[in-house]
Amino acid sequence: MTSPVTELIAFTIDSADAAALARFYADLTGGEVTGDYPEYGYASASVLGATLNFQTVQDFARPQWPGQAHPQQFHLDFRVPDLEAATAHAESLGASVADTQPAAEVGGAWRVMLDPDGHPFCLCPPQEG
């Protein structure tokens, strides 16, 4: 059976400031902000061939990863050729390294970061082998 759903056109992320978070992800990935509609509390960014949408949410509750009192709801994984350079780049844009790093516990090489609104995302170097 063929599905009547044919394309994922965007992924929408709640934010304290839609325009600021769209700018963060555009700058992080070398993408671009493709829409900023403050009258609607909405912004979008083209990110590595995908569209991320952002919506400003009144009384936004910052995720508290890894705890679940304010769950993460999602996270994004980005492939990076140089983990240290990508970490420094993300930090220069307002991200921070998460206190909890599960990769260290299991011998992995990825790094968990928090975007300016607290959403976790991972920087993942190429897999060895």
Side-chain angles (χ1 to χ4, degrees), residues 3 6 16 24 27 29-30 33 38 40 47-48 62 77 82 96 106 112-113 119 127 129:
S3 174
T6 61
F24 170 81
D27 290 348
T29 62
V33 174
Y40 301 113
V47 174
L48 303 171
R62 181 181 176 93
D77 294 333
D82 181 329
S96 59
V106 297
V112 180
M113 305 291 294
H119 302 110
Q127 294 179 338

Side-chain angles (χ1 to χ4, degrees), residues 30-128:
E32 66 177 311
V33 174
T34 54
D36 181 6
Y37 308 96
E39 66 274 23
Y40 301 113
Y42 173 85
S44 59
S46 176
V47 174
L48 303 171
T51 298
L52 296 181
N53 293 331
F54 303 88
Q55 60 187 2
T56 301
V57 174
Q58 186 175 14
D59 300 323
F60 174 77
R62 181 181 176 93
Q64 296 177 355
W65 185 87
Q68 293 301 302
H70 297 281
Q72 67 179 353
Q73 302 163 352
F74 74 92
H75 78 268
L76 301 171
D77 294 333
F78 295 101
R79 180 71 64 214
V80 298
D82 181 329
L83 184 59
E84 297 309 318
T87 299
H89 177 61
E91 288 177 317
S92 76
L93 298 170
S96 59
V97 175
D99 290 338
T100 300
Q101 293 294 322
E105 298 169 11
V106 297
W110 72 91
R111 181 160 297 142
V112 180
M113 305 291 294
L114 302 175
D115 74 18
D117 273 356
H119 302 110
F121 66 95
C122 294
L123 301 175
C124 306
Q127 294 179 338
E128 296 180 15

